[in-house]
Amino acid sequence: MTADDPSASAPPPPPVAVAVVGGGVSGLVAARELALAGVEVRLFDAGDRPGGRLRGERLGDPAPPDAGPEIDIGAEAFATRGGVVAAYLAELGLAGEIVSPAPLGSWLVSSSGAVRLPAAGTVGIPTEPLGRPSVRALGVLGALRAAVEPALPRSVGRGGSLGAAVSARLGSRVLERLVRPVVLGVHSREPAEMPIDAVPGLSEAFARHGSLVAAARELRDGRSAAGGAVAGLRGGMATLVAALEAELRGLGVEIRTGVAVAGMERTAPDAWALSDGAGRRIAEARAVILAVPETVARRLLGAEPALPEGRVEVVALRVADSRLDAAPRGTGALVASDAAPGIAAKALTHVTAKWPHRAAGGDGATDHVLRLSYGRLGREPETAGLSDEEVLRLAVRDASRILGIELRPESVRAMRRREWLVGRAPGASGRGVPLPAPPDVALAGDWVSGTGLASVIPGAREAAAHIIDRLGGTPHRTGQHTGEAARGAARETPRQTRREGAPER
């Protein structure tokens, strides 16, 4: 070590058993599994606070950052399929906080107008093609085309992407008016880029029945539909992040925010050294979990670069307009591709209609929260490079056209915007060479296990279980309730979350 070495000014950090890189829900879940198994863990996150896409934002009026109701600026619900997320929330003592959205239904906006979406089994596939809602959405010919799907040979649509299978078996109208808007809204990617098995349960149900309509019905009846039934948390999805953070503190996990891990090298057969952007060594660990985007994981492991992730921007508006009390588009609307260029947003959520208990966060009966989503995989979001004033004008225009109500810019009391990265689905086209990870490194995130908490949580637990096994430990039993104990410990344990640059406590 020389005087010019950037790490010379600080003593080397004490070694830790496992370093978790990334403080989104994947990293937090993996860190919890490790800590419950008695493994010493240190978690690093580049952001100012953990949570990733489950973070909340204040939608204040006027500008103090702590004013106004808190909203979900990222994920605002979870799929109920399989009960995976509900069981995990119960482990954290949050079962009583689970709420269902208002039963208002959602809409589809296309060039031919706005129609209520039919009840779907999964990713927009209609379960009753000749039902009135399906006929309204698809037209008579489109509904008839979809209705004959169960009579088609099993071989039709096999071996291709989700988009190709839907088009071949159900017709282009089902693809363009139902499946494509749902997949873009939920997964931010084109159905043509997704294999059928990227949708949990769909490939297996299709194999059993030889029909996508029958498969969708099975998934609906089994409450395992992706893009189907959802639930949320009374205080917003950020409640999950707060509970995980509290439990990690109670378990003695150090969370270091504001630390971007930029380098990773093996220093011994059973040791890794992590460094920051200035080359300073920030951790030594026997094993590492990379709960980061695929491009970051590949760079840290020195692997072949991947195609860049997609970018999505969420724009949230707090609007004072009593005409929204009637929830003209129910809980929200998806935008069909043929609605462009008239509407740039791909979806709108009427937050205070979908989650009525959140409306009390405002200070007036006519305050409403609207969320618009922009961008999809392979394309820049339409908001990229725009100033806040330009984004406000675009969002008000899009919301007006989607809702069928001419909103006034002056009715917007506050706006927040947040951009997110969206990885490619496992098995999706364009993924390139698979990323090989050393035995003492595990990968976690939506690009590894699939989109949504119902996929991400089990994936993160599997990553942690792999590392625990590697270290010779025993994972804790799934379903074991730890929330109350952890919160009690958190009240008695000094806070372990430390912002980079802050003094050690």
Side-chain angles (χ1 to χ4, degrees), residues 253-283:
V253 175
E254 180 185 358
I255 303 174
R256 297 185 62 183
T257 58
V259 182
V261 176
M264 179 173 158
E265 64 174 324
R266 189 177 289 283
T267 55
D270 61 347
W272 289 93
L274 275 57
S275 57
D276 63 14
R280 292 184 293 263
R281 184 169 293 185
I282 56 176

Side-chain angles (χ1 to χ4, degrees), residues 289-327:
I289 291 181
L290 296 177
V292 292
E294 183 179 6
T295 50
V296 177
R298 285 181 175 272
R299 175 169 48 79
L300 290 173
L301 291 173
E304 179 179 325
L307 292 174
E309 287 86 6
R311 292 165 54 203
V312 172
E313 182 156 1
V314 174
V315 179
L317 305 176
R318 183 178 172 192
V319 183
D321 193 320
S322 60
R323 293 175 296 172
L324 295 175
D325 293 350

Side-chain angles (χ1 to χ4, degrees), residues 67-367:
E70 185 172 72
I71 64 161
D72 292 313
I73 198 69
E76 46 96 30
F78 60 88
T80 58
R81 64 176 187 265
V84 171
V85 182
Y88 191 73
L89 293 171
E91 283 189 42
L92 293 168
L94 296 177
E97 299 301 308
I98 299 174
V99 293
S100 298
L104 301 177
S106 53
W107 290 63
L108 173 72
V109 177
S110 69
S111 59
S112 58
V115 296
R116 286 186 180 273
L117 279 169
T122 187
V123 290
I125 296 172
T127 57
E128 304 295 339
L130 294 180
R132 185 174 297 176
S134 295
V135 173
R136 281 199 299 260
L138 300 171
V140 174
L141 292 179
L144 288 171
R145 171 67 177 84
V148 303
E149 187 268 344
L152 295 178
R154 288 172 171 261
S155 59
V156 174
R158 286 197 174 277
S161 67
L162 173 65
V166 170
S167 180
R169 296 196 64 86
L170 294 161
S172 60
R173 286 202 177 184
V174 171
L175 176 62
E176 292 301 325
R177 294 193 178 184
L178 297 180
V179 173
R180 188 167 183 262
V182 171
V183 171
L184 287 172
V186 174
H187 300 277
S188 297
R189 51 181 61 94
E190 292 285 352
E193 295 186 342
M194 289 183 63
I196 292 181
D197 56 12
V199 182
L202 182 58
S203 179
E204 295 82 359
F206 181 35
R208 284 191 292 273
H209 298 284
S211 161
L212 289 176
V213 169
R217 286 176 185 158
E218 178 190 314
L219 295 177
R220 177 201 62 190
D221 295 341
R223 301 188 65 186
S224 58
V230 298
L233 290 173
R234 194 178 311 279
M237 293 306 297
T239 305
L240 171 57
V241 174
L244 283 168
E245 202 178 347
E247 184 156 340
L248 291 178
R249 289 200 305 271
L251 292 167
V253 175
E254 180 185 358
I255 303 174
R256 297 185 62 183
T257 58
V259 182
V261 176
M264 179 173 158
E265 64 174 324
R266 189 177 289 283
T267 55
D270 61 347
W272 289 93
L274 275 57
S275 57
D276 63 14
R280 292 184 293 263
R281 184 169 293 185
I282 56 176
E284 291 184 354
R286 292 176 57 197
V288 179
I289 291 181
L290 296 177
V292 292
E294 183 179 6
T295 50
V296 177
R298 285 181 175 272
R299 175 169 48 79
L300 290 173
L301 291 173
E304 179 179 325
L307 292 174
E309 287 86 6
R311 292 165 54 203
V312 172
E313 182 156 1
V314 174
V315 179
L317 305 176
R318 183 178 172 192
V319 183
D321 193 320
S322 60
R323 293 175 296 172
L324 295 175
D325 293 350
R329 295 292 178 259
T331 60
L334 298 170
V335 180
S337 57
D338 62 5
I343 301 173
K346 66 179 183 179
L348 176 146
T349 302
H350 192 159
V351 176
T352 42
K354 186 173 183 177
W355 311 106
H357 59 281
R358 305 295 299 277
D363 58 8
T366 58
D367 270 6

Side-chain angles (χ1 to χ4, degrees), residues 321 323 396-397 400-401 404-408:
D321 193 320
R323 293 175 296 172
V396 169
R397 185 203 75 180
S400 298
R401 293 178 178 178
I405 293 175
E406 193 62 35
L407 299 174
R408 299 180 304 276

